[in-house]
Amino acid sequence: MPSTGYLIAGVAVAGVITLALRALPFAALKPLRKSKFVQALGQWMPAGILIILAIVVFRDQITAAPGRVFPVLIATAVTVLVHLVTKRRALISIAAGTACYVLLLNLL
């Protein structure tokens, strides 16, 4: 059985390494923050990731249940419409789109 000092030293070394690994990306990004490329990535990446996620979800929904294409398309249209009408409030548009999808699934 290792000694208590050895265990404490092991935990301390692991903590220092973990902290360094988490701080490293922020330290590496600091000189790049003023780069136009990184700023463009910060502006366009969230929308791009959401579009890719939406396409994957649509593809999975349509292939899993081909008869449910209509509710998916209507709920998507409602989500986009509510998002634009409510001045881009994501929580309201997601709730409206989800409620519309659930209602259409249960009513149709």
Side-chain angles (χ1 to χ4, degrees):
M1 171 109 186
S3 68
T4 304
Y6 180 79
L7 292 175
I8 291 173
V11 169
V13 169
V16 168
I17 290 172
T18 300
L19 183 66
L21 287 175
R22 291 185 183 210
L24 184 64
F26 294 105
L29 188 62
K30 190 174 182 179
L32 298 174
R33 287 185 193 245
K34 293 184 180 179
S35 164
K36 289 185 179 184
F37 177 70
V38 172
Q39 290 177 353
L41 279 178
Q43 183 179 7
W44 291 103
M45 283 283 285
I49 290 171
L50 285 176
I51 289 171
I52 291 170
L53 180 63
I55 290 171
V56 169
V57 169
F58 286 146
R59 186 198 63 195
D60 290 347
Q61 281 289 320
I62 291 170
T63 56
R68 293 183 178 176
V69 173
F70 182 69
V72 170
L73 293 176
I74 295 296
T76 302
V78 167
T79 303
V80 170
L81 184 67
V82 170
H83 190 72
L84 294 176
V85 168
T86 60
K87 298 180 181 177
R88 299 180 179 210
R89 292 186 178 176
L91 189 60
I92 295 172
S93 60
I94 291 170
T98 303
C100 177
Y101 181 69
V102 170
L103 283 173
L104 288 173
L105 283 182
N106 289 319
L107 295 176
L108 298 178

